[in-house]
Amino acid sequence: MTENRVISLPENEDVKSNNEEVLENRPETLFTYFTIGTAFLLIMVGGSTVVWSSPAVVKMKLDDPNENPLGKPIEAVELSILIGLPTVSGLLGCFIIPKLADIVGRKYTLLAIGSVWLLSLIATSFSRNLIMFTSFICISMALQAASFAAVPIYLTEICQHHSRAKLGCILCVFIPIGELITYLVGSVFSIRDFTLIIASPLVVFLVLFHLAPESPVYSLTKGSVEECRRSLKKLRSNKTEKELNIEYDQIKESLDLQEVKSEFVILTLLKSKEGRFGLLLGTIPIVIQYLTGATLVLQLMGPIFDEANTFAGNTIAIIVGIAKVCCFLLASFLVERTGRKPLLIISCVGTGISTAVLSVYFYLNYINDPVIEDLKLLPLIAVLFFIMSYSMGIGPIPLAVISELFPSHARSVAMSFILMFCGVVLTVYNSSYPILDEYAGTHWCFFMFSFFSLLGAVVIYFVVPETKGKSDAEIQQILADY
């Protein structure tokens, strides 16, 4: 399979050098940024959807029927269902829907996701019982998982490889932006109104994304040479015709060398050494990301920190949302300078320390220790440090790196496989948390987050390779030699 990733260039060294300069040093065009930014609206709505439960659960715990559409406070088992079942639906979304990208194309798959998602969120806003809320949030979470798998594939195939990591981290910035929007509007508006507000970017997406081109890589895989050339011309308007021909030839040659039977892609990956290690190394950072507890903390920020008896949970959520956006932006500029691996290790250590501090605080609160009155600022400081650490590495980098590990013909299947497996981990985690929190205490949950974060740092140090500045062929060679 390694040989299938080699992109052959002309033998003449002068030509080769010139080609590399053309393909690696040209900036992305404004139209490319417009296209990418429009696709990132799906990621932003995904961030809003993931933390929808944070302000929603706060309202669902109230006795006031004007605030709580359920009419009565939600119970622990009901809460477990509300945050657990949508994660299961996410497994189907990340496994089935992205496969459409190989059938109908990247562009029309994303448009289909946006259309159904909009209808689902509108239905959620008018729900009045647990079954309706759970059903429509399940649909939304399936589409969120699908978008998190499909958008990075589209991004990888329309941008130049020297821009992948930076744009991949910027993609991840849209996740906390979406989360911040939910925290802001969710603390002010009713469940119906804030759900409609977080759905509104999908209207913009559906209008503007019709102007986006199909992925040139996908077009060429389907034998549509003219569409591939048109897409390249739109995306690379700062290149000459000769330069466009060079890029087209390299895409074509790369695809020619990657030919496999598409229906057996996952079997092909499992049979080859680089495929197996690609799946393993793509899975490890995502699993560690979930085990740090970040997903649960963000989903239940409001109710968790209401329990801390300091600041209001929604207030902390808004402060955290702002900090997360800033740190994700900073990470997008650091990732190509420092590399992926150092940021991932530092990030895991930081999340481990901060959740350990929170574990101690929640324990002191649990036993009603009087010293807790002098530590009111500690949860805010610790959670800000947690979010800063998470946002500088283990948050944005795993999703940005996964698509680098696989050739173009295998990306959608590999992404779906990895996200499906990780979704199983997240489902168990999410479903168990409300019950574990109820019977063991919040302090034990945060101790568990701390342990897995520090363990993750050790695993990344010894197992995960650095891919900074590596081409597709070089990454495949690293996996083959692993």
Side-chain angles (χ1 to χ4, degrees):
M1 186 170 180
T2 304
E3 293 79 9
N4 290 349
R5 289 299 302 148
V6 176
I7 301 176
S8 300
L9 297 176
E11 295 296 326
N12 185 286
E13 288 299 317
D14 292 333
V15 175
K16 179 178 179 179
S17 176
N18 186 52
N19 290 349
E20 289 178 350
E21 181 180 354
V22 169
L23 293 178
E24 296 191 11
N25 296 331
R26 293 279 187 173
E28 302 291 355
T29 63
L30 288 177
F31 180 75
T32 301
Y33 282 119
F34 164 80
T35 300
I36 292 171
T38 304
F40 285 179
L41 290 176
L42 286 178
I43 301 298
M44 185 173 74
V45 177
S48 295
T49 302
V50 166
V51 299
W52 174 89
S53 58
S54 180
V57 169
V58 171
K59 299 179 189 301
M60 289 178 179
K61 287 188 172 184
L62 300 176
D63 289 314
D64 185 359
N66 293 322
E67 290 285 341
N68 184 357
L70 297 179
K72 64 180 183 67
I74 190 170
E75 298 176 358
V77 174
E78 294 175 323
L79 179 57
S80 180
I81 293 171
L82 182 63
I83 68 173
L85 284 183
T87 310
V88 176
S89 70
L91 301 181
L92 298 176
C94 68
F95 185 71
I96 297 173
I97 298 178
K99 189 60 181 173
L100 289 175
D102 290 335
I103 301 172
V104 302
R106 292 15 175 172
K107 175 180 177 178
Y108 292 106
T109 296
L110 294 178
L111 285 170
I113 289 172
S115 301
V116 180
W117 203 346
L118 178 60
L119 295 175
S120 174
L121 287 174
I122 292 173
T124 302
S125 69
F126 290 99
S127 297
R128 288 295 176 269
N129 58 62
L130 185 65
I131 294 175
M132 292 178 66
F133 274 116
T134 304
S135 299
F136 291 120
I137 287 297
C138 278
I139 295 172
S140 294
M141 287 298 288
L143 295 167
Q144 174 266 331
S147 68
F148 278 25
V151 173
I153 294 170
Y154 183 72
L155 168 67
T156 299
E157 295 182 355
I158 68 170
C159 71
Q160 300 168 87
H161 83 262
H162 68 90
S163 304
R164 284 184 321 214
K166 181 180 74 173
L167 291 174
C169 284
I170 292 175
L171 174 151
C172 292
V173 172
F174 279 73
I175 300 175
I177 290 175
E179 295 169 353
L180 178 58
I181 291 172
T182 297
Y183 293 145
L184 287 170
V185 300
S187 62
V188 177
F189 295 97
S190 66
I191 291 179
R192 184 193 66 182
D193 292 344
F194 89 70
T195 304
L196 290 173
I197 291 171
I198 67 175
S200 59
L202 291 173
V203 178
V204 179
F205 166 78
L206 292 172
V207 171
L208 297 182
F209 200 64
H210 283 283
L211 302 175
E214 181 54 90
S215 155
V217 176
Y218 171 80
S219 297
L220 201 54
T221 60
K222 297 302 179 181
S224 182
V225 174
E226 289 306 314
E227 185 177 7
C228 174
R229 290 186 179 277
R230 281 197 303 269
S231 295
L232 283 175
K233 197 167 185 179
K234 283 184 177 181
L235 295 166
R236 312 281 190 265
S237 58
N238 58 347
K239 289 187 175 183
T240 65
E241 194 68 30
K242 179 181 178 181
E243 292 168 339
L244 291 174
N245 287 335
I246 291 172
E247 184 166 357
Y248 167 81
D249 290 340
Q250 292 193 356
I251 292 174
K252 184 177 185 300
E253 188 165 5
S254 176
L255 292 175
D256 288 342
L257 293 171
Q258 292 172 10
E259 287 183 355
V260 295
K261 294 180 179 179
S262 59
E263 62 269 25
F264 299 118
V265 167
I266 195 66
L267 293 178
T268 304
L269 286 174
L270 291 173
K271 287 179 181 177
S272 64
K273 183 179 179 182
E274 54 266 50
R276 290 193 300 272
F277 277 104
L279 291 171
L280 174 64
L281 298 176
T283 300
I284 287 174
I286 295 289
V287 170
I288 293 172
Q289 180 192 80
Y290 291 161
L291 295 182
T292 61
T295 304
L296 279 166
V297 170
L298 293 170
Q299 281 184 312
L300 300 173
M301 184 82 70
I304 286 175
F305 288 97
D306 281 343
E307 181 184 329
N309 298 318
T310 54
F311 297 94
N314 282 333
T315 301
I316 290 183
I318 292 169
I319 296 172
V320 164
I322 295 171
K324 192 176 177 186
V325 171
C326 295
C327 292
F328 266 58
L329 277 170
L330 181 59
S332 68
F333 293 103
L334 289 178
V335 66
E336 285 300 335
R337 290 179 172 85
T338 63
R340 285 74 156 154
K341 190 170 180 175
L343 286 179
L344 287 171
I345 294 172
I346 294 170
S347 176
C348 286
V349 172
T351 57
I353 292 172
S354 54
T355 45
V357 171
L358 284 168
S359 175
V360 172
Y361 178 87
F362 280 114
Y363 175 72
L364 293 174
N365 187 57
Y366 176 75
I367 62 174
N368 294 316
D369 194 306
V371 75
I372 206 74
E373 294 299 323
D374 300 323
L375 301 174
K376 292 296 185 182
L377 284 176
L378 187 60
L380 178 59
I381 295 171
V383 79
L384 282 174
F385 186 69
F386 173 83
I387 291 299
M388 289 172 62
S389 301
Y390 173 82
S391 303
M392 292 298 293
I394 198 63
I397 293 177
L399 193 61
V401 168
I402 289 178
S403 60
E404 292 183 325
L405 298 174
F406 305 98
S408 62
H409 70 272
R411 281 179 189 138
S412 62
V413 173
M415 288 280 285
S416 298
F417 183 85
I418 289 172
L419 292 178
M420 184 186 71
F421 176 82
C422 295
V424 173
V425 176
L426 185 60
T427 299
V428 174
Y429 227 41
N430 281 2
S431 300
S432 303
Y433 177 82
I435 298 172
L436 183 62
D437 179 67
E438 178 86 4
Y439 293 103
T442 307
H443 53 287
W444 275 110
C445 296
F446 276 81
F447 174 78
M448 181 176 63
F449 298 156
S450 177
F451 172 77
F452 284 125
S453 294
L454 297 175
L455 178 63
V458 175
V459 172
I460 289 170
Y461 179 81
F462 287 104
V463 176
V464 177
E466 178 60 75
T467 59
K468 173 189 174 184
K470 301 291 192 298
S471 67
D472 288 348
E474 290 171 327
I475 292 172
Q476 290 301 302
Q477 188 62 52
I478 289 173
L479 297 177
D481 296 338
Y482 204 80

